[in-house]
Amino acid sequence: MFLGLEYPGGYARRTDGNTPKDYGRHYEKVGNYSDINLEGRDIEPKGTKGMIRLMHFPGYVLKNANNRYEMISKTAVNGFARPNQSVEMAFMTYLEGLWKKPKSFLHYNNWFEPKAKDLSGDGLINIYREFKAATVPYGINLDAVVPDNGWQNTRSIWDPLPKFFPNGIKDVKKLSDRLRAEGTGFGLWLSINGYVNKIDWGLAEGYKEAKPNAYFAKFGRYYSLSSTQYKDTVLKKIPLLAKETGTIYFKHDFNQLSDLAEGNNHPATDRHGHEANLDACLEVLVATRKMNPEIYQNMTNWVWFSPWWLKYADALWMLAGDDGTNGNWPEISTRAMASTDRDTYLWRMWGNPADRPLVPISRLMTHGIIKTSDGRMESQSDNLQDWQEYVLMHYGRGTLLKEWYISPSAMHPDEWKALCTVHNWAKAHQKALNNTFFVGGRPDEGHAYGYIGWDGDKGVLVARNPDGREQKLRIPFNQSIHFGGQNGTVFHANVVFPYADAYPQHFIAGQEIEIVLPGYATMAFEFEKGKPENAVTLPALPVVKTSEDTDGPINEITLPVTVNDRCDLLVTGFPDLPELRIDGNTVVPVRTSKSKINNFAGYAVAGMPSTVAKAWNMASFDLKPYLGKKIKISYKGMGAFKSFLLIEQAVDGNKVTTGNDKLWPITNNSRRQTIPLINKTH
């Protein structure tokens, strides 16, 4: 059975009428969470066994059309699961009848690109033309081009900036019309409460400022959405902006919804101010949707993971730092650390099946794919496969809101190919990816993990191993990942990235799936009924002899000539790298990286720091010049370090089925394996 209020600001308590406690779930105080103080008014002092309570805090009674005062509660639902159906699956089936229908939305956001910030000329048009030239050959077109913060006159309530739009909204419409004529739509960034705008200007005009609680007082100022003048203005202005400019997407940022001020149409408490401002916000969303039923509405900062938001919004922010890299665990690729950053936040919120939000991961805004002219979130040594794996992880989460913070001038043809084929593959598997679940352990502590989704008897898994050692990823094969098929049915998987081949094991519905991931591997799998076909046999690994002398450990190894791609010696020092020699000669690394322990944005650090992360430095040495030779690797150093051999040997790969909707099997004629060499603990 499930019971709840169909309202993002509702509260439910069970067991004794007081469980769970407010902010009692682990995911409710993680990242840049929304903190509203209920002052204990959600607690029933005489709670009893089996009591279930639903509540919200509406504030003042209102006069109705009959001149009578009334208070109308939010709608409640009481539902039941069918026989052999989990309650979670039953609830999600019910929610699907109420929410905004899931849809994919691909857009470019101009936040990181200086030449796209000037909205008065052809900057935005030219950027779109560059995108179109690169993506149309793959059958892809952007749904919209979106100016982020900066288009508005901050001394107004969402009027355009005269610098860019001297004729006001008419000029915004001209820009929108020009983009539509080029073949795409138009979207806008807009904070409903006026955050980032000049609040002192508004006060002089008679608008009311919200009084934030102690948590939100650490951040910027904003208007009270529930105050009469401001609410009336945005209820007219925002829907009209959508209608008159042809806007098809709004990124609604900074949703504090906290107001303790007197005179803003609610009692001066956090709980009442929250509900009054939330109600006004929902009114704006509904009014905008009436103006344009197809508008895509993205609610970002300081929302919370209530599934009832999805009645009003298409996407919710994942409550992370805006972007960044996670340097808690040794990885040589900056792009890999960027994936670890996003996925560690998602693990923290969705990693526990017994206590995870009822918002699908696919309905999250994750800040998309970032590739900029200034090299943001990448290093010069990052290669094409690093880029492809980063893109694949973004899409593998099931993300429906596909944000491209991409500077076309920074892209090479093969990077476009990698991006566009992943996009089309995800589109072809959208039904399964709409339903993804996080599986595995904490990414920034070296654990294997991934995202799996099912559409009937078809499944998709995108998985990563952020460590050098081979790992087994264990995945439930039952209703906890919304697999609704018959237990006992035999399934197999095909590897579709980074090569195309059968996976050699079969899986039985109702029993745990076990996937072996090589070290530092990102892989994609497609599941279907039936037994597996024969897979390519893995090459034999070279034998390693390890010894010790007075300076430190030694590896002796004969490297095979059959290497097709990488043959890397990966060494990590904690924190210092050992002095390394090959056959007595000092060698220079081709790639290096270093730790950034618990490098989470200050506003999103809550609940995130790892207690086991420790400082490290990592280096990668190219051993391909030594293929076919016996070499001696000697390490000299006082501290802890570990080393691996990452080797990709040639195989007779299967013939690849090509197509714009097929993943590019970039290493189809080789197979990655890793060998632990040294693990010096002190």
Side-chain angles (χ1 to χ4, degrees), residues 661-674:
D661 63 348
K662 307 294 182 185
L663 292 180
W664 179 11
I666 196 167
T667 61
N668 196 54
N669 293 318
S670 64
R671 294 294 182 268
R672 177 175 298 184
Q673 297 165 285
T674 52

Side-chain angles (χ1 to χ4, degrees), residues 473-649:
L473 177 60
R474 294 178 172 85
I475 305 167
F477 199 177
N478 53 37
Q479 291 191 32
S480 69
I481 56 168
H482 290 198
F483 171 76
Q486 184 68 39
N487 284 350
T489 306
V490 175
F491 284 78
H492 71 277
N494 292 316
V495 181
V496 291
F497 181 85
Y499 54 84
D501 197 4
Y503 189 78
Q505 307 299 126
H506 71 274
F507 312 101
I508 300 174
Q511 300 179 20
E512 195 173 61
I513 294 171
E514 191 175 273
I515 296 285
V516 176
L517 298 172
Y520 293 118
T522 297
M523 301 182 72
F525 305 82
E526 297 174 5
F527 292 82
E528 58 186 358
K529 284 183 178 180
K531 295 183 178 180
E533 298 180 359
N534 294 328
V536 170
T537 302
L538 290 177
L541 286 169
V543 176
V544 180
K545 179 183 177 183
T546 302
S547 58
E548 188 97 17
D549 69 7
T550 55
D551 288 330
I554 295 171
N555 296 133
E556 293 181 81
I557 182 172
T558 299
L559 295 173
V561 295
T562 54
V563 171
N564 229 18
D565 293 302
R566 291 173 62 182
C567 186
D568 296 346
L569 174 64
L570 301 172
V571 184
T572 305
F574 300 98
D576 297 323
L577 286 163
E579 181 184 331
L580 191 140
R581 294 177 181 272
I582 295 180
D583 296 335
N585 299 312
T586 301
V587 287
V588 177
V590 293
R591 304 177 73 176
T592 60
S593 60
K594 63 181 180 180
S595 61
K596 291 183 179 179
I597 301 301
N598 293 324
N599 183 42
F600 303 105
Y603 57 85
V605 70
M608 293 303 300
S610 169
T611 59
V612 302
K614 54 187 177 181
W616 54 268
N617 281 275
M618 188 175 186
S620 174
F621 301 87
D622 183 12
L623 299 185
K624 290 182 78 172
Y626 304 96
L627 297 183
K629 301 176 182 177
K630 183 178 181 179
I631 61 172
K632 182 168 76 172
I633 306 169
S634 57
Y635 311 84
K636 181 180 180 181
M638 299 298 294
F641 72 90
K642 62 182 179 181
S643 64
F644 293 90
L645 176 65
L646 186 154
I647 189 168
E648 295 179 335
Q649 296 186 78

Side-chain angles (χ1 to χ4, degrees), residues 45 102 113 121 131 151 275 312 322 324 422 474 577 587 596 650 662:
E113 179 51 59
F131 275 108
W151 67 270
E275 179 153 329
Y312 307 94
D322 280 3
V422 171
R474 294 178 172 85
L577 286 163
V587 287
K596 291 183 179 179
K662 307 294 182 185

Side-chain angles (χ1 to χ4, degrees), residues 329-330 340 441-449 465-469 471:
W329 192 260
T340 298
R442 178 166 181 155
D444 69 342
E445 292 182 357
H447 298 289
Y449 71 94
N465 178 2
D467 190 40
R469 71 189 190 284
Q471 292 194 70

Side-chain angles (χ1 to χ4, degrees), residues 86-263:
S86 71
V87 174
E88 182 177 283
M89 289 187 71
F91 172 75
M92 295 307 294
T93 299
Y94 175 75
L95 184 63
E96 287 169 8
L98 299 177
W99 66 15
K100 293 188 74 176
K101 185 179 178 181
K103 63 178 179 180
S104 174
F105 194 85
L106 172 65
H107 69 279
Y108 163 73
N109 185 295
N110 75 338
W111 182 246
F112 292 120
E113 179 51 59
K115 69 180 183 181
K117 294 288 186 74
D118 184 354
L119 305 179
S120 60
D122 291 336
L124 213 55
I125 304 294
N126 290 335
I127 286 282
Y128 171 67
R129 289 171 178 165
E130 292 181 65
F131 275 108
K132 187 162 63 171
T135 62
V136 165
Y138 295 94
I140 297 170
N141 188 47
L142 297 178
D143 292 311
V145 171
V146 180
D148 208 284
N149 179 24
W151 67 270
Q152 77 278 17
N153 180 0
T154 57
R155 289 178 171 83
S156 75
I157 306 300
W158 299 114
D159 289 333
L161 185 64
K163 174 184 175 182
F164 299 139
F165 307 105
N167 296 307
I169 200 168
K170 291 181 180 179
D171 283 347
V172 179
K173 184 179 186 302
K174 285 182 182 178
L175 177 58
S176 176
D177 288 345
R178 290 186 66 195
L179 286 166
R180 189 177 299 107
E182 292 283 342
T184 191
F186 179 70
L188 284 172
W189 176 99
L190 188 151
S191 60
I192 297 175
N193 64 10
Y195 191 91
V196 311
N197 290 343
K198 304 298 184 184
I199 305 303
D200 285 336
W201 170 89
L203 296 179
E205 296 294 317
Y207 295 104
K208 297 290 189 67
E209 182 176 2
K211 180 182 178 182
N213 63 20
Y215 176 78
F216 287 115
K218 297 181 291 185
F219 306 104
R221 300 165 65 192
Y222 53 95
Y223 297 109
S224 171
L225 273 173
S226 62
S227 60
T228 302
Q229 184 179 348
Y230 189 78
K231 178 181 173 181
D232 289 347
T233 301
V234 293
L235 269 173
K236 294 175 184 176
K237 205 67 162 288
I238 296 174
L240 193 64
L241 186 63
K243 180 182 179 181
E244 294 195 355
T245 65
T247 296
I248 63 170
Y249 168 87
F250 273 132
K251 177 183 177 182
H252 289 310
D253 212 346
F254 301 115
N255 302 285
Q256 292 90 331
L257 302 176
S258 172
D259 183 15
L260 287 75
E262 300 274 2

